[in-house]
Amino acid sequence: SSSSGGSSSSSNEDVFRVYRRGSDGPLIVMLHGGGYSALTWSLVVEEVCNEVQQCQVLAFDQRGHGSTRTVRTEDLDADTLARDVGRVLRAVFGDGGEASIPGPVVLVGHSLGGAIAVHAEFHKHIDVAVAGVIVIDVVEGTALAALSSMHSVLAARPLTFPSLQEAVLWSYRSGQTRNLDAARVSMPGQVKNVITNVCGADEVEQLQQRKNSEICASDAAAVATGAGDSAAVSTDSTAAPADADAATKQGRDESQESSLLKVGPPPISAGSVRFSARRLSCRRLSVDNENKIEEEAEEEEEDDSDNTGKKDDKKHIDADERRKKQMHNEEFRKSFESKRLKQSSLAGCSSSSIDSGVSYTWSINLSSTTDHWNGWFEGLSQNFLSITPPKLLLLAGVDRLDTDLTVGQMQGKFQMQVVGRCGHAVHEDAPDEVAAAIIAFLTRHRILQPKHPSRYHTLPGC
């Protein structure tokens, strides 16, 4: 595999950014939605892995997204994206089929990723038997109906951001992600540096690697200084080098949290691919104190809402807060719009032409994918009902079911759960609830073993 931040040198190879955590137990393959990246799953993965006895997780930046680089980036057909899932699994685990994967396979997908998970299983693009399919907030009827307004939604987004911090703040303030921690982790994977064309997540990773190197160098210098003072050497003289070794090892582990995986004809053999990433990274960017206070204030308001005697006052507070936030978001949007007008040509922009010296834009231009939109979602409901593995549908609202799914749900063909007070990015807004739903579903079907079975004895109803 290529080293982190590397690229494919062959014209007929595709390079996928792959994140892995764990090496034993059931394999959960997570597919992100359109415009997102694999890092969108970080908080959910952290929750799941902390609560189960054993599991492994694989997530990757899909074609055209994040740090993945493919020869035909514009080929975002549903069948191509579904085939990519099988190609990545073969490259990671080899061509041995089920024998090469040490546990059952579960597909989890959000939005477009959910549609691709269903497509991959329905058309058998994966070489192994799938033990479960979990689809998050995507329904054929609702998705197709929303396509007509997608261009206006995309046009309302800022074209560029002066920094990664500003991109994170926009994601949170605009409501794209209602969880500030999730925005810190996810947003860098959705944008790229317009000067270097490097994904923001890669820049954060490189920065972390430099910090780890500095820490290791500092520790090594401290050890050398201590070793020179022979008069002071006692039992601590052996402990210091051990600590330095541990720090060095930790630095290596952190620098290998993600891998660039070459996938192309012929498929890579299992022996030629090395993955030592031990966890899905939860990288966090610093955000100004004002926004931290703003988030804490929202949490305090939620606590107050539990007091039934203050409902009327809470309504007035919520209304005022919404108006303030709308005004704040509008000012924030206008500031980005003015910067966009100053930068009429991204191709010709330079560091001197941008206020902060650096500018970021979206990793993928979703408006250019219009031709694929219908193909992503047409037939999704029937395909979802037709596939044989146990199925779970997680939604942000019960009103999103179309006719086919309503009938199928009444017939008990799949399980459904609604996660309240969330936007479209359900898994980012409420990672703990989504993780609990995933664990309960997989526990019920004896795919996972939670550390605390009493917490997941039954799947909560909708």
Side-chain angles (χ1 to χ4, degrees):
S1 67
S2 302
S3 60
S4 181
S7 61
S8 173
S9 59
S10 175
S11 60
N12 66 346
E13 286 184 334
D14 296 333
V15 183
F16 287 81
R17 171 71 76 182
V18 174
Y19 297 84
R20 289 186 65 193
R21 178 169 177 172
S23 57
D24 296 301
L27 173 64
I28 304 175
V29 180
M30 294 185 158
L31 306 174
H32 64 78
Y36 292 84
S37 77
L39 291 176
T40 191
W41 297 108
S42 291
L43 299 187
V44 170
V45 170
E46 202 70 26
E47 292 281 345
V48 170
C49 291
N50 287 338
E51 289 293 326
V52 302
Q53 297 284 358
Q54 206 175 46
C55 78
Q56 49 184 326
V57 179
L58 183 148
F60 65 94
D61 293 347
Q62 295 199 62
R63 179 181 296 260
H65 294 74
S67 303
T68 286
R69 297 291 178 263
T70 56
V71 175
R72 294 181 293 116
T73 301
E74 71 286 349
D75 182 9
L76 297 177
D77 181 76
D79 199 61
T80 301
L81 295 174
R83 289 180 186 276
D84 285 342
V85 180
R87 296 171 66 207
V88 168
L89 290 179
R90 283 193 294 274
V92 174
F93 297 100
D95 295 324
E98 293 187 50
S100 62
I101 300 179
V105 176
V106 177
L107 300 180
V108 180
H110 166 246
S111 193
L112 167 62
I116 298 307
V118 172
H119 194 95
E121 169 59 13
F122 183 81
H123 293 282
K124 302 301 178 184
H125 290 313
I126 301 176
D127 298 334
V128 299
V130 174
V133 176
I134 300 174
V135 173
I136 301 178
D137 211 47
V138 58
V139 170
E140 178 183 352
T142 307
L144 292 175
L147 293 182
S148 59
S149 61
M150 276 301 298
H151 281 294
S152 60
V153 172
L154 295 175
R157 303 193 307 177
L159 180 63
T160 62
F161 303 95
S163 67
L164 289 177
Q165 285 79 4
E166 292 297 326
V168 170
L169 291 181
W170 174 85
S171 177
Y172 176 67
R173 288 172 172 169
S174 68
Q176 173 178 284
T177 301
R178 302 179 184 181
N179 182 338
L180 188 55
D181 282 339
R184 291 189 183 108
V185 179
S186 176
M187 198 60 187
Q190 300 176 44
V191 296
K192 63 182 178 181
N193 189 310
V194 298
I195 300 171
T196 63
N197 209 37
V198 173
C199 179
D202 292 343
E203 290 190 346
V204 175
E205 183 173 309
Q206 292 164 10
L207 177 62
Q208 186 62 50
Q209 289 176 3
R210 286 198 297 270
K211 287 184 177 179
N212 288 338
S213 298
E214 291 172 2
I215 292 172
C216 291
S218 176
D219 290 345
V223 171
T225 303
D229 190 2
S230 59
V233 173
S234 61
T235 56
D236 291 338
S237 62
T238 56
D243 291 342
D245 291 342
T248 303
K249 183 179 184 299
Q250 180 181 1
R252 285 197 299 268
D253 288 342
E254 293 291 337
S255 68
Q256 294 174 344
E257 286 178 345
S258 60
S259 299
L260 282 171
L261 172 63
K262 292 183 180 179
V263 179
I268 299 177
S269 64
S272 65
V273 181
R274 295 179 56 210
F275 294 91
S276 54
R278 58 185 174 83
R279 64 187 175 89
L280 221 72
S281 174
C282 290
R283 309 182 184 97
R284 296 187 178 184
L285 299 176
S286 60
V287 182
D288 58 49
N289 292 330
E290 175 188 351
N291 287 279
K292 292 180 181 177
I293 294 172
E294 180 178 315
E295 185 186 43
E296 290 170 1
E298 290 179 357
E299 291 175 354
E300 289 173 2
E301 289 173 13
E302 290 176 3
D303 293 339
D304 291 341
S305 66
D306 294 335
N307 189 337
T308 56
K310 298 183 179 180
K311 285 185 177 179
D312 293 338
D313 293 339
K314 180 68 169 60
K315 290 179 181 178
H316 292 299
I317 293 173
D318 287 344
D320 291 340
E321 199 62 34
R322 280 196 297 270
R323 282 194 294 270
K324 289 179 182 178
K325 183 170 285 190
Q326 288 172 356
M327 293 174 61
H328 190 70
N329 288 342
E330 183 63 20
E331 292 174 1
F332 196 69
R333 189 189 65 78
K334 286 180 179 178
S335 69
F336 275 117
E337 196 66 26
S338 64
K339 290 175 183 176
R340 181 171 66 172
L341 293 175
K342 292 177 183 179
Q343 302 168 33
S344 58
S345 174
L346 282 177
C349 74
S350 62
S351 59
S352 61
S353 67
I354 303 172
D355 293 345
S356 65
V358 178
S359 184
Y360 295 83
T361 189
W362 300 99
S363 292
I364 182 172
N365 179 10
L366 289 176
S367 297
S368 66
T369 65
T370 306
D371 293 343
H372 301 288
W373 289 357
N374 286 314
W376 289 343
F377 305 111
E378 286 179 344
L380 174 59
S381 292
Q382 282 298 327
N383 290 351
F384 178 71
L385 295 172
S386 298
I387 58 178
T388 56
K391 301 175 284 291
L392 171 65
L393 179 62
L394 285 176
L395 297 175
V398 70
D399 58 328
R400 303 193 182 191
L401 285 185
D402 56 24
T403 303
D404 289 336
L405 289 184
T406 300
V407 174
Q409 200 270 334
M410 289 189 295
Q411 294 175 340
K413 291 185 176 180
F414 64 93
Q415 296 173 17
M416 185 181 75
Q417 183 173 342
V418 176
V419 182
R421 291 169 34 178
C422 291
H424 179 51
V426 183
H427 57 303
E428 293 192 358
D429 294 347
D432 53 344
E433 293 185 50
V434 170
I438 292 173
I439 295 171
F441 172 74
L442 298 182
T443 299
R444 178 175 182 176
H445 293 281
R446 301 182 179 180
I447 298 172
L448 282 180
Q449 292 184 352
K451 294 178 180 177
H452 309 284
S454 60
R455 297 180 186 176
Y456 311 102
H457 182 63
T458 59
L459 186 74
C462 63

